[in-house]
Amino acid sequence: MSIDIPESGGAEPDISVVVIVYNDARRLPVAVRSVLDQTLRGVEVVIADDCSTDGSYDVARSLAAEHPDRVRAIQLPENSGGCGEPRNQGVAVARGRYVMFLDSDDTLEPNACRNMLEAADRTGADLVSGLCVRVYTDSRHDKRTPWYPWLYRSTRTVESIAELPDLFVFDTLSTNKCYRRDFLVENELTFPRGIHYEDLLFSARAYLAAGRITLIPNTVYFWNVVQKTTAKSISNRRHEINNFSDRLEIHRRIDAVLERRGLDELKLHKDIKFLKHDLVLYLRDLPFLDDGYRHRFAELARGYIQDFPEAAYDRLDRVHAICAYLLLQEDWDNLMPAVDTLINRDKISAPLAERDGRVYWCEHHLDDPKARDIMDVTGLGYHGRSLDRMFLRNLLTGYAVRGDLVVLEGSVVNPLHTVPADASLTAELEFRARRRSLQTFRFPVRTVHHAGDTIDWQAAVPLSGGLRPLGVIDEVWDVRLHLTADGKRTTTRITAGRVDLENATSVPVRPRLSRFVADRLQPQVSAKGHLAFRLTQQGSAARRGRALVDRNLQGSAARGAKGAYRALRAVRKELASGRRKVQGYHRMLKVLPVRKGTVVFESHLGKQYSDSPRAVYEEMRRRRLPVTAVWAYAGARPEGFPQDVELVRRWSWSYLKALAQAEFWIDNQGFPLKLAKRPGTTYIQTWHGSALKRMGFDEPTHRVLSEPEQRSYQQALDRFDHFVVRSEHDVRTLARAYRIPEEKLLRTGYPRNDALVRAARDPQAAEPAVRELGERLGVRPDRRVVLYAPTFRARPDGGVRDFAFPFDVERFADTFGDRFTLLVRSHYLNRVSLPPSVAGRVIDVTGEPDITPLLLLSDALITDYSSVMFDYALLRRPLVFYAYDWEEYSEDMRGTYFDLLEEAPGPVARTEDELFAALSDLGAVGTQYEARLKEFMDKYGEYDRGDAAARIVDRFFGPAGGTR
């Protein structure tokens, strides 16, 4: 090893940053400068050159000569072939108390060393880790992606990596970390030599050896990524089988360390991550590789993953599990479509198979019970979608150039024969520039026909004369096929897995800027595996012209034009930003007058036309009051909202203007917290249910908010001028939790419950509407209706768990299907997927906008902890509670206001058998719990008297028959 610059004397540096380089003379100075410019001055640079051949070492020595007190340069005698050995040699000569690593093509954030050192000294950590950000240097809009940001949301210190398995399995980088040098030396922590993915093993050993690890929420490392390059980095050479072999070897070494330490749980986390991430990286490339590679890859994978514990496979989502199984079986015909869905998660890529009321990925392997379980995709709900809600695999089966025509052939999967054989079929191809363009070109598909499991098509596309790109800003063109069957249309992308496009013939094209800039369209494969076309230059004149255009695009005039364009785009983006909209809204309050008689309604954040706001609006409409009703909706377009009102999309400028000018706001959850209310507007908060679980400031998470956060939250609550309650329980819980003063309370009951109270008094009153709803849903009149309406379950990270039946819905249908129709109404944050086997006996009604008609239709209710229990009690019909996870639900951070198990006005089942036993005799349930149900209703619905909407409208909008 050569050390051309002697070690400098003086004080020991705080941190030594080892910068490794190989044939990267151009970028090395930038990396070193990012270290020298650190706000922490006690930092030295050790440049470790891996025997470069391009002059990198000369650049390193020059940098050392320019900064003799801060930079040293060493060179390995021969190229090591990886990143590990240069780092080892750098650490060997490092003098700092701490060590960091930097690659020559990356940079450090200016405060990285200071933040790392302060955290290390404060906590005594052996290892400090900060946030890495991937910077896509060739992106047009400075694209940046944080590397596993959820790990770095706040500062935290752990005494063992076992406390934070996600850190061990996800953040395997060595470069966004600061290590105590004595810690590295004492534990003989070095990088493996002669093998790729050395970071994985080094990081694993460092995590396991560390007595204390600190994470900081600061960006410390910029990982520069170049996407548009033909020279692949080591980690991106996944088409090389040795690349996969090296990864497996590194994982085996990590496994051996974990096994010696008896860390089975940590290994399980790592195995799951390998199946969900590492393996997937290679599966993505399989459709484009030959059979020899695939066979060798499957052999290597089988030798490693087939011994993974069942628990690892159990934690996979369905598509991952299918891919892993089919890979081990080397079933390429079924694996390739599964990989397509793995890359494009909404895509239905297989024809599917229905057996015994269940839906399977394919019809093969179903004689194996294990495979049958893995292949079961009933829960994904593919079978419940109509054609216009399907994103279907469209496999390119042919590509040819005939003169000026490009002949494309494809095959669209037809899952479960969704498109019937006698369907009327039409199709067209659409070519759309990937960058925003004013142009879209469409061509008819002349041949399209039904082929059983597929819809096959062929089109001769006159690209040479029919597609006229500009030639500068629209270099890449994506292709879509629009298929229409019996009036329903679906849009597909064309998967390019079977046809060799790399060597395919290009076609001549005449851009609007003439062939001076481009003269060919070359087919290519997109990052998602789809067919695309790129403008290229084949003729020498075109290449010279393009070079001239590119030079001019870098000229001062072009830079000025592009700068103006970007500034305009930035202004448009800024005007559409939430911050600017909030500012604009508050300025509107000062200049726009209140529109007398205008009421803005919103239900469940604009997701529904439902609940108490709907009941109040319909009472106004019944009275023909002279008010202007504005309803807010969320999503791309309003569905289920009335046609005789003004509709505004939530967070649009029209929405903000309507709120700024409204005389009344009426909603059941909360208009955006950052929008203040003008004094001339009256805000009636109807709320959306009595509380079992602790709410508002009673939640521990709210109590630990900072003073400014609590003040901001309180200001949002103070906008309420009136708050509807339905019982003194609401006063003691909700009103107190949200700090609503007594004078703001409306003891009217919930307007949404007026219909329930009236139905309890006169069951015949609601009969026509109930009968109509039952007929629309397909409920047989000779069967009683049971509604299952659970609440959602939160994930530890604050998100919402996917809905899963806590009981066997097929067993339910088999047991009660001749007596009951089960309606399933999940929380609006969830979605339901029912197996075909229960069709007609179990019906998903989650999509119904308003639950009140469903309550009226139902003869009994099954719930868990949903506030629907308080509403349904008003009907005095049987309630059955399925509290299978009561301890987990009631004893988490939020807690509950009362013990449901003690007060429930119906049987509380803890197991599936207990639930079915309770349902077997609903008459007995009604009789046994009649008194308790009345007590529950009186306690939690004492103000629900059937006239809430009328009382609210009387008070604020004038009595029935009168004028405002």
Side-chain angles (χ1 to χ4, degrees):
M1 180 176 69
S2 299
I3 305 180
D4 289 81
I5 306 300
E7 292 192 10
S8 58
E12 175 185 72
D14 291 309
I15 297 178
S16 295
V17 179
V18 177
V19 182
I20 63 169
V21 61
Y22 176 70
N23 286 355
D24 198 14
R26 181 178 62 84
R27 292 180 293 190
L28 176 60
V30 177
V32 172
R33 174 53 57 191
S34 76
V35 182
L36 297 177
D37 289 345
Q38 288 289 301
T39 55
L40 179 70
R41 304 310 300 166
V43 179
E44 74 161 355
V45 181
V46 177
I47 305 173
D49 177 75
D50 198 10
C51 202
S52 295
T53 60
D54 73 334
S56 292
Y57 187 52
D58 292 334
V59 173
R61 287 189 297 177
S62 297
L63 291 167
E66 291 176 27
H67 308 279
D69 296 330
R70 302 191 65 194
V71 179
R72 291 182 293 152
I74 64 175
Q75 184 180 48
L76 276 65
E78 59 182 10
N79 180 256
S80 68
C83 300
E85 189 59 19
R87 289 174 182 154
N88 292 337
Q89 297 302 327
V91 173
V93 300
R95 300 181 304 112
R97 291 191 296 130
Y98 293 89
V99 175
M100 295 174 62
F101 301 111
L102 175 64
D103 293 348
S104 61
D105 52 349
D106 299 332
T107 57
L108 294 181
E109 195 275 338
N111 298 296
C113 291
R114 178 179 297 281
N115 290 331
M116 293 280 213
L117 181 67
E118 288 179 353
D121 286 344
R122 183 178 69 255
T123 64
D126 293 321
L127 186 161
V128 177
S129 190
L131 180 64
C132 169
V133 174
R134 286 168 62 97
V135 180
Y136 297 85
T137 57
D138 54 353
S139 69
R140 293 181 292 110
H141 305 299
D142 192 31
K143 179 182 174 183
R144 296 176 177 230
T145 305
W147 187 254
Y148 299 114
W150 80 84
L151 293 169
Y152 297 98
R153 288 179 181 151
S154 61
T155 299
R156 53 178 164 175
T157 299
V158 296
E159 305 295 327
S160 167
I161 190 62
E163 298 177 32
L164 192 56
D166 278 359
L167 182 63
F168 182 86
V169 300
F170 288 108
D171 189 357
T172 56
L173 300 178
S174 64
T175 48
N176 60 332
K177 298 172 178 62
C178 180
Y179 312 85
R180 187 166 54 83
R181 182 162 58 92
D182 290 346
F183 160 72
L184 297 179
V185 173
E186 291 163 3
N187 289 277
E188 300 180 347
L189 292 174
T190 59
F191 291 86
R193 180 173 181 172
I195 188 169
H196 299 323
Y197 303 108
E198 62 286 321
D199 266 24
L200 274 67
L201 181 57
F202 178 85
S203 295
R205 293 182 62 215
Y207 282 141
L208 293 169
R212 183 170 294 170
I213 301 168
T214 295
L215 278 64
I216 59 174
N218 308 90
T219 297
V220 299
Y221 196 89
F222 294 117
W223 177 0
N224 295 322
V225 179
V226 180
Q227 290 183 303
K228 302 170 186 175
T229 177
T230 56
K232 296 291 187 182
S233 66
I234 290 172
S235 60
N236 285 325
R237 296 177 198 156
R238 292 186 288 271
H239 59 285
E240 300 173 3
I241 197 66
N242 288 340
N243 184 290
F244 185 55
S245 179
D246 280 358
R247 188 183 286 264
L248 293 184
E249 176 58 27
I250 287 291
H251 274 275
R252 285 192 173 96
R253 296 184 190 185
I254 297 172
D255 293 344
V257 176
L258 295 173
E259 185 176 349
R260 285 197 299 271
R261 293 171 173 260
L263 298 171
D264 295 341
E265 188 64 25
L266 204 55
K267 182 179 182 302
L268 175 61
H269 280 83
K270 190 192 74 67
D271 290 345
I272 295 168
K273 190 258 187 179
F274 183 88
L275 293 170
K276 297 179 71 171
H277 175 74
D278 299 60
L279 188 63
V280 172
L281 292 176
Y282 295 86
L283 289 175
R284 294 169 66 100
D285 293 333
L286 281 188
F288 310 102
L289 299 170
D290 59 41
D291 290 341
Y293 177 96
R294 292 178 185 176
H295 176 64
R296 180 62 181 141
F297 174 77
E299 280 187 327
L300 290 170
R302 185 184 303 110
Y304 183 58
I305 69 174
Q306 68 181 356
D307 294 328
F308 279 14
E310 287 297 323
Y313 290 95
D314 291 343
R315 298 272 284 275
L316 297 181
D317 63 41
R318 185 59 56 187
V319 178
H320 276 105
I322 289 171
C323 286
Y325 178 85
L326 294 174
L327 173 65
L328 296 181
Q329 304 300 314
E330 294 196 47
D331 181 352
W332 308 118
D333 289 341
N334 288 305
L335 175 59
M336 294 305 108
V339 170
D340 201 357
T341 293
L342 195 65
I343 300 170
N344 303 277
R345 297 310 294 268
D346 292 331
K347 185 182 287 189
I348 306 175
S349 298
L352 309 179
E354 185 179 337
R355 299 286 186 277
D356 304 320
R358 306 292 296 179
V359 177
Y360 299 93
W361 181 258
C362 62
E363 61 184 3
H364 304 95
H365 313 289
L366 298 185
D367 54 341
D368 176 2
K370 178 181 177 181
R372 194 179 183 92
D373 181 60
I374 292 172
M375 295 294 160
D376 191 332
V377 293
T378 309
L380 298 181
Y382 293 150
H383 57 283
R385 302 182 194 176
S386 57
L387 181 66
D388 53 358
R389 293 178 55 237
M390 290 181 170
F391 176 29
L392 300 175
R393 174 177 166 89
N394 184 356
L395 180 64
L396 183 68
T397 57
Y399 174 92
V401 176
R402 298 174 186 166
D404 289 344
L405 296 176
V406 175
V407 180
L408 298 175
E409 297 178 61
S411 186
V412 181
V413 71
N414 185 16
L416 300 175
H417 292 199
T418 299
V419 179
D422 59 351
S424 174
L425 301 175
T426 59
E428 67 173 359
L429 284 171
E430 175 190 275
F431 287 71
R432 181 188 302 172
R434 187 169 298 173
R435 292 179 67 178
R436 291 186 180 180
S437 171
L438 299 177
Q439 302 184 104
T440 297
F441 298 91
R442 292 184 173 87
F443 305 93
V445 174
R446 300 299 183 189
T447 302
V448 54
H449 65 275
H450 195 286
D453 286 342
T454 60
I455 305 297
D456 294 349
W457 58 273
Q458 183 186 72
V461 185
L463 287 184
S464 294
L467 192 148
R468 296 293 305 278
L470 296 176
V472 176
I473 64 170
D474 52 1
E475 292 180 87
V476 180
W477 289 78
D478 292 314
V479 189
R480 293 168 173 81
L481 182 132
H482 303 295
L483 173 67
T484 302
D486 289 340
K488 289 190 175 181
R489 179 170 123 155
T490 185
T491 298
T492 70
R493 299 293 299 273
I494 303 175
T495 299
R498 182 178 296 177
V499 177
D500 179 14
L501 294 179
E502 187 173 337
N503 300 307
T505 305
S506 61
V507 293
V509 70
R510 186 182 294 277
R512 295 184 187 278
L513 295 180
S514 85
R515 296 188 180 186
F516 192 61
V517 293
D519 60 2
R520 310 290 293 183
L521 270 175
Q522 179 68 45
Q524 66 175 37
V525 182
S526 74
K528 294 281 191 178
H530 297 134
L531 172 67
F533 286 85
R534 177 180 288 276
L535 285 171
T536 61
Q537 307 85 36
Q538 181 168 304
S540 58
R543 286 195 293 271
R544 288 194 301 270
R546 182 68 199 198
L548 179 61
V549 170
D550 288 341
R551 284 197 299 272
N552 287 333
L553 287 174
Q554 303 305 318
S556 58
R559 285 197 300 270
K562 287 190 287 186
Y565 172 71
R566 287 170 181 158
L568 179 61
R569 285 192 61 182
V571 169
R572 290 180 59 188
K573 184 177 180 180
E574 174 67 12
L575 288 174
S577 69
R579 182 181 67 86
R580 180 63 69 185
K581 284 183 174 180
V582 171
Q583 289 178 348
Y585 167 82
H586 286 106
R587 288 172 182 164
M588 288 183 199
L589 294 178
K590 300 174 184 176
V591 296
L592 294 178
V594 173
R595 292 168 59 193
K596 290 295 184 181
T598 299
V599 187
V600 177
F601 294 90
E602 187 172 290
S603 178
H604 293 302
L605 308 179
K607 293 182 175 68
Q608 299 173 352
Y609 171 62
S610 65
D611 213 81
S612 292
R614 173 178 179 170
V616 173
Y617 163 71
E618 291 182 349
E619 177 66 16
M620 292 179 181
R621 186 171 62 179
R622 185 185 66 80
R623 298 186 185 188
R624 303 180 184 274
L625 294 178
V627 298
T628 300
V630 180
W631 269 91
Y633 69 92
R637 53 185 177 273
E639 294 183 1
F641 287 82
Q643 300 300 311
D644 58 343
V645 298
E646 181 183 342
L647 297 173
V648 293
R649 186 176 181 180
R650 205 168 193 264
W651 274 112
S652 66
W653 283 106
S654 298
Y655 172 78
L656 298 175
K657 182 174 181 289
L659 287 176
Q661 292 190 275
E663 185 179 4
F664 289 91
W665 292 358
I666 299 178
D667 90 314
N668 65 349
Q669 197 155 342
F671 288 105
L673 299 180
K674 294 183 179 180
L675 303 183
K677 179 183 70 67
R678 68 193 310 160
T681 299
T682 299
Y683 188 170
I684 304 172
Q685 174 56 257
T686 66
W687 206 241
H688 54 272
S690 298
L692 169 62
K693 204 151 199 181
R694 294 187 179 275
M695 307 288 284
F697 284 102
D698 287 347
E699 294 183 46
T701 53
H702 281 75
R703 291 199 293 267
V704 299
L705 292 176
S706 66
E707 272 192 41
E709 289 172 322
Q710 291 201 30
R711 187 163 51 251
S712 176
Y713 187 58
Q714 186 63 60
Q715 288 172 350
L717 296 173
D718 288 344
R719 297 177 302 171
F720 302 161
D721 294 297
H722 304 281
F723 188 87
V724 174
V725 295
R726 59 196 300 260
S727 68
E728 288 304 303
H729 168 75
D730 289 355
V731 177
R732 294 188 297 270
T733 56
L734 292 172
R736 184 177 61 82
Y738 290 115
R739 299 176 180 174
I740 311 294
E742 172 67 28
E743 62 271 16
K744 291 187 177 183
L745 299 181
L746 290 179
R747 289 177 168 84
T748 60
Y750 285 163
R752 73 181 187 197
N753 288 341
D754 290 347
L756 302 180
V757 175
R758 291 195 292 267
R761 292 174 184 160
D762 180 9
Q764 301 303 315
E767 187 61 31
V770 166
R771 188 185 310 110
E772 180 182 346
L773 175 61
E775 290 174 356
R776 179 167 62 81
L777 294 177
V779 175
R780 288 181 51 168
D782 60 334
R783 294 196 173 120
R784 302 182 74 186
V785 176
V786 176
L787 175 65
Y788 175 49
T791 190
F792 70 94
R793 301 297 192 275
R795 296 198 310 257
D797 63 1
V800 176
R801 294 183 195 170
D802 291 339
F803 174 80
F805 277 100
F807 58 87
D808 187 338
V809 69
E810 289 177 290
R811 181 189 169 198
F812 180 99
D814 291 341
T815 304
F816 301 110
D818 59 342
R819 299 163 55 192
F820 303 147
T821 297
L822 180 68
L823 305 182
V824 181
R825 166 79 174 204
S826 70
H827 192 275
Y828 67 84
L829 296 173
N830 291 131
R831 68 175 182 84
V832 173
S833 179
L834 296 172
S837 59
V838 302
R841 298 176 292 173
V842 183
I843 301 173
D844 175 21
V845 293
T846 302
E848 290 294 311
D850 198 345
I851 196 173
T852 299
L854 298 172
L855 299 179
L856 293 169
L857 175 63
S858 304
D859 298 294
L861 173 72
I862 307 170
T863 188
D864 44 19
Y865 324 113
S866 170
S867 64
V868 72
M869 71 175 85
F870 301 106
D871 305 320
Y872 196 77
L874 298 170
L875 288 168
R876 304 183 186 182
R877 300 173 188 173
L879 283 92
V880 178
F881 295 83
Y882 189 29
Y884 61 94
D885 60 348
W886 170 250
E887 284 74 20
E888 177 186 353
Y889 187 87
S890 63
E891 296 173 9
D892 70 0
M893 287 183 62
R894 284 177 64 180
T896 60
Y897 286 117
F898 64 89
D899 187 341
L900 177 65
L901 272 59
E902 293 294 325
E903 294 194 37
V908 179
R910 306 301 302 277
T911 67
E912 181 177 300
D913 287 342
E914 291 178 2
L915 172 64
F916 286 16
L919 294 171
S920 64
D921 193 350
L922 288 177
V925 170
T927 302
Q928 181 180 351
Y929 286 90
E930 182 178 8
R932 194 164 177 176
L933 182 60
K934 184 179 184 306
E935 180 184 339
F936 188 86
M937 182 189 69
D938 290 343
K939 181 176 182 179
Y940 295 108
E942 58 188 301
Y943 302 132
D944 281 321
R945 298 163 186 164
D947 61 352
R951 292 173 65 187
I952 290 173
V953 173
D954 281 347
R955 174 166 175 175
F956 298 102
F957 302 97
T963 59
R964 295 185 66 245

